Amino acid sequence: MDSFNKTNLQNIKDIFEHRTGVCLDVRRPLCPFKLAVVTAAAVILCLSTAAFAVRQFSSLSGDDLRISADYEGNGIVSIQIENKSDKELRFESVLKLMQWTTNEEIKPLAEKNVSFRNTVIPAHSSGTMTIDLSDAYDISLLETPLAGSDWYYLILTNNQFAFGQDWMCTVDFAKPDITPAEYPALAAPVEADPELTQKIPQELRAYFESYATDPAERNKLSQEYLALCKKFLEQADGTVVSASSSTELTVIDSAQIPVFDTSVPMDMQLKLTGLHRRTTDGYDKKIGSSDTEQALVLSAYIPQRKGDIDGGADIPLIYIFTYEKSSITDPKNYAFIRGRLLTFEEMEQYKIYEDEQYVCYDASHLFYSDLGQYVESIVSQRSDVYFDEQVWERVQNIYSYYKENLGSLLGYRDS
């Protein structure tokens, strides 16, 4: 381990000054005892701050949200947020306004603040956060149409833009002049996969045959479903094993970067995919028998507008369920996934990884039976995505690559 040096000490002092407002830059050097006290206090403050961050809403701990923005005019931006986590999401009243092509921040006017309203979104609920940029930015400049496929986006945070605690949200200050023909027609309304639905027990089937757009209604249906699951599983002749929530195992991409979309630079190919721990599927249906059971879900990102080269909205593609190896050895142990009760003998053909502690299964076949119909159905839920043949080819490439290589990519990331 590297030795603690003056640079390390100065970094801690800088953090301490920023957090407390106490200036440590004194004219005469502190005596050794006072210096030790100040350093200890700074270290404790840093550690306590880190511990607090762990308890906050973070995508690194499986917390998930859905976010979109609408420009109301006169510098007012409405941010629609759906908090899918068990934790409260409390945004800080700070943001970064970025321009896509330059990847540079649009600097606010001197000594002007952005106004925030409704920054707290409770667990499992939705809300609209309102942001007023009128005093902080040159609105006439922002409302001037950008050239080509350029666009602005906001970066929001609940913890000083820390990794896993910042979120990008595109915003159109000037509507682009695009004819309707440039956007493909949306798919038919979302429908349940009849092939899979018929395999779900009758008493649980209605939950997967319905689709609610209102978050409150979706949550109500989910709670009713979980209550039915409890009764159903109490009748099972054996033990239902919950998927492990361990974050140790993850997907570690190889050094050789695959090409998912030839229109995207090589250094951005992996940014077209997402990896999250989720309690719900692409239709916001519970994947297990509780609010907390999770799967490791690999997604494909698709653009929100024609010409965007990055990802904007995610389509969950591969659902990985991980179990403690010691908990699935009994023949009367079961997995319960998306309304289906399965023995681990039945799950064996879908096993993609095993070590001394964990066994992982690709359970995507329990979520959809036809990739094309599934993707089309997921896209039909959203009005903020662009989808054409090239985007569809991207999704297929991502799906094929990880289907073929996922077992060899699972592993433990070095701490």
Side-chain angles (χ1 to χ4, degrees):
M1 183 176 181
D2 295 337
S3 60
F4 188 87
N5 56 38
K6 292 182 178 179
T7 301
N8 302 133
L9 176 60
Q10 185 60 49
N11 289 339
I12 292 176
K13 288 169 65 180
D14 291 343
I15 294 172
F16 182 80
E17 289 180 343
H18 176 70
R19 298 288 192 202
T20 65
V22 176
C23 179
L24 302 180
D25 186 18
V26 294
R27 291 182 177 274
R28 58 180 182 177
L30 293 173
C31 69
F33 174 75
K34 290 184 178 179
L35 180 59
V37 170
V38 169
T39 302
V43 170
I44 291 172
L45 178 62
C46 292
L47 292 176
S48 63
T49 301
F52 177 69
V54 172
R55 296 192 297 271
Q56 286 183 306
F57 187 106
S58 171
S59 61
L60 298 181
S61 59
D63 300 317
D64 194 15
L65 60 76
R66 179 173 291 178
I67 185 169
S68 62
D70 289 313
Y71 181 57
E72 308 292 347
N74 299 318
I76 305 297
V77 181
S78 295
I79 312 290
Q80 291 77 44
I81 303 153
E82 182 181 354
N83 182 354
K84 300 182 178 182
S85 167
D86 294 325
K87 299 176 187 172
E88 178 184 79
L89 175 55
R90 186 178 293 269
F91 286 96
E92 294 179 347
S93 296
V94 293
L95 60 76
K96 294 180 182 179
L97 175 59
M98 310 290 291
Q99 186 171 345
W100 166 245
T101 54
T102 62
N103 197 32
E104 293 181 353
E105 182 178 359
I106 307 300
K107 295 298 183 181
L109 303 175
E111 299 181 2
K112 298 292 184 179
N113 294 323
V114 176
S115 173
F116 287 75
R117 283 189 298 158
N118 193 27
T119 57
V120 179
I121 311 297
H124 296 294
S125 69
S126 299
T128 300
M129 178 169 64
T130 303
I131 301 175
D132 187 349
L133 305 174
S134 59
D135 288 337
Y137 294 91
D138 183 344
I139 301 304
S140 62
L141 177 62
L142 295 181
E143 292 180 343
T144 302
L146 294 170
S149 60
D150 202 1
W151 44 278
Y152 294 110
Y153 63 95
L154 301 174
I155 300 179
L156 307 171
T157 183
N158 67 321
N159 185 25
Q160 301 181 54
F161 303 101
F163 182 67
Q165 293 175 294
D166 59 346
W167 295 274
M168 186 183 83
C169 181
T170 62
V171 57
D172 285 320
F173 294 105
K175 297 297 181 183
D177 184 16
I178 299 177
T179 62
E182 292 188 65
Y183 284 95
L186 290 177
V190 175
E191 297 177 354
D193 190 319
E195 181 178 331
L196 295 181
T197 305
Q198 291 302 312
K199 297 178 181 179
I200 296 174
Q202 184 68 44
E203 55 264 58
L204 305 178
R205 193 176 301 169
Y207 175 65
F208 297 99
E209 292 177 327
S210 63
Y211 181 76
T213 57
D214 178 61
E217 179 65 16
R218 282 206 304 268
N219 187 56
K220 176 177 176 290
L221 292 174
S222 294
Q223 296 309 310
E224 291 173 352
Y225 167 72
L226 294 179
L228 290 173
C229 287
K230 182 178 180 181
K231 292 181 180 180
F232 175 78
L233 296 178
E234 286 174 350
Q235 303 170 18
D237 182 22
T239 302
V240 178
V241 181
S242 295
S244 172
S245 59
S246 171
T247 59
E248 296 176 291
L249 268 175
T250 187
V251 176
I252 305 173
D253 287 293
S254 64
Q256 185 173 358
I257 300 176
V259 178
F260 300 130
D261 190 329
T262 55
S263 68
V264 176
M266 282 300 296
D267 61 351
M268 294 186 65
Q269 293 293 323
L270 292 178
K271 294 182 180 180
L272 301 178
T273 67
L275 190 67
H276 305 89
R277 297 185 186 276
R278 291 184 168 172
T279 61
T280 57
D281 65 8
Y283 300 106
D284 288 309
K285 301 295 185 182
K286 294 296 181 183
I287 64 170
S289 60
S290 71
D291 271 324
T292 58
E293 193 165 5
Q294 298 178 338
L296 184 62
V297 181
L298 195 143
S299 303
Y301 281 108
I302 62 174
Q304 292 183 285
R305 290 179 290 194
K306 184 178 180 179
D308 290 354
I309 63 172
D310 72 324
D314 73 304
I315 298 179
L317 291 181
I318 300 177
Y319 296 82
I320 306 163
F321 284 75
T322 303
Y323 297 90
E324 292 276 356
K325 190 173 182 179
S326 59
S327 68
I328 63 174
T329 55
D330 193 306
K332 289 189 176 182
N333 289 149
Y334 296 92
F336 183 78
I337 302 174
R338 204 174 186 269
R340 302 271 298 278
L341 194 62
L342 305 123
T343 67
F344 285 96
E345 183 178 358
E346 293 174 300
M347 294 279 287
E348 184 68 19
Q349 60 183 310
Y350 307 111
K351 183 168 66 177
I352 57 173
Y353 178 89
E354 180 178 2
D355 62 24
E356 294 181 354
Q357 187 174 1
Y358 297 111
V359 182
C360 298
Y361 303 90
D362 176 1
S364 306
H365 66 288
L366 300 176
F367 292 81
Y368 55 90
S369 57
D370 182 275
L371 178 64
Q373 293 177 358
Y374 169 72
V375 171
E376 188 176 50
S377 182
I378 293 294
V379 170
S380 75
Q381 298 179 61
R382 308 188 58 136
S383 60
D384 61 340
V385 296
Y386 179 83
F387 199 82
D388 59 11
E389 286 298 327
Q390 183 171 340
V391 177
W392 167 229
E393 184 177 352
R394 174 199 296 187
V395 173
Q396 291 181 92
N397 289 339
I398 293 172
Y399 175 84
S400 299
Y401 173 78
Y402 284 105
K403 271 289 187 179
E404 181 179 349
N405 299 287
L406 191 55
S408 62
L409 297 176
L410 284 169
Y412 299 87
R413 194 179 302 280
D414 293 336
S415 58

